[in-house]
Amino acid sequence: MRLQSREYKVMLHAKVFTGDETACRAAVARFWEYIRAELQAADIDTHGKLDALNDSKQRYVFFLDTGKRDLYHRSDLVFRLRRKLGSSKAWEATLKFRHGDRLLARAQDFDLRDKDDKEPKFEEDVKGMLSGDTPRLWALFSRSVDADFDPGHMPATVGECLAPYKEIRQAGLPDPDTPVQTVAGLHIVEHVYEEGWIRLSKEIDGECALILWWKNSEPQTPIAAEFSFRFALEKGHADIKVVRKAWVTLMTLLKSPLVDPNGPTKTALAYGDAEM
């Protein structure tokens, strides 16, 4: 399976977005205008507003794993559940294998037992970091497949989490009867702001997203803020001009005072010691 997309991510100072919904929307708009100006100064064009809050992108999110987090630590698997705020419909579960070895990630071929319109994804996530004054990339490759879970029959064991999937050939999988629990007891409210774009070439735009996380019990104090842009790959490849422009974009972002270049990612906040 070829890589389908690359996504560049930077963590922001979450306190910038503190406040009620009105204050938060205003902070998102200010962030976008500030970033647009910084990118324009580097001869990088943008368009859109990054202020469209789609109802389907306002979600509850949590992760399930064993008490010792064996799925993550022993098998490099993340099991995430999310659902639109206020919904009583099925939870969307994502099983994701994440690893820094592209070939190892590509070799994973688990899929749904009962096929539907949810196709597997094979993607690259790139986090920009600063080591001293030297910028560098930290990349993880992931294969993921989504499944639906009836809210009346939520998974209580490893076997129930993995039941919708087939061909999971990970060494070290926990016993199927091992109970699972919410990772770190963390129940998250997630808002995703989209509709902003970065011009990487005449043909390719990077699709932007600003993702905010709150603890469900603390609705006005975000615990994570992530800005990203992504673009699709053509048969696993990208034009060199696109990749160079994406690199300049990432370096420009890392210099912004709004960016926390060494801040923990969302996964790291949930699992405590995740690299991305």
Side-chain angles (χ1 to χ4, degrees), residues 235-250:
K235 296 182 179 180
H237 300 283
D239 183 84
I240 190 170
K241 293 180 180 179
V242 172
V243 179
R244 284 175 174 164
K245 182 62 73 70
W247 171 258
V248 173
T249 300
L250 182 62

Side-chain angles (χ1 to χ4, degrees), residues 178-242:
T178 307
V180 294
Q181 61 190 40
T182 302
V183 174
L186 192 59
H187 291 269
I188 299 156
V189 172
E190 176 182 84
H191 287 181
V192 183
Y193 293 81
E194 297 176 313
E195 302 301 327
W197 303 85
I198 295 172
R199 183 62 48 81
L200 300 177
S201 74
K202 291 181 179 179
E203 297 80 21
I204 302 294
D205 284 344
E207 181 182 7
C208 299
L210 174 60
I211 300 177
L212 300 177
W213 271 15
W214 293 264
K215 290 182 180 179
N216 193 30
S217 58
E218 300 176 16
Q220 293 195 19
T221 308
I223 61 171
E226 175 192 277
F227 178 72
S228 67
F229 64 98
R230 66 188 298 154
F231 58 89
L233 301 178
E234 182 67 29
K235 296 182 179 180
H237 300 283
D239 183 84
I240 190 170
K241 293 180 180 179
V242 172

Side-chain angles (χ1 to χ4, degrees), residues 70-121:
D70 293 315
L71 285 173
Y72 179 78
H73 289 298
R74 292 169 52 185
S75 303
D76 297 298
L77 291 171
V78 171
F79 184 79
R80 180 191 67 206
L81 286 149
R82 62 188 182 191
R83 182 172 69 175
K84 177 182 172 181
L85 292 181
S87 174
S88 59
K89 296 182 179 180
W91 286 86
E92 180 186 71
T94 299
L95 181 66
K96 180 179 293 189
F97 176 86
R98 308 168 76 248
H99 206 280
D101 187 328
R102 176 178 58 85
L103 297 180
L104 185 58
R106 182 179 180 181
Q108 305 303 314
D109 56 0
F110 60 86
D111 205 341
L112 293 177
R113 292 186 184 278
D114 299 320
K115 290 295 292 181
D116 59 13
D117 59 350
K118 296 182 175 67
E119 294 294 329
K121 298 177 183 177

Side-chain angles (χ1 to χ4, degrees), residues 51-67:
D51 65 351
L53 190 57
N54 188 325
D55 287 347
S56 66
K57 296 297 182 75
Q58 300 180 56
R59 304 179 285 218
Y60 290 118
V61 179
F62 65 98
F63 301 83
L64 291 180
D65 206 331
T66 69

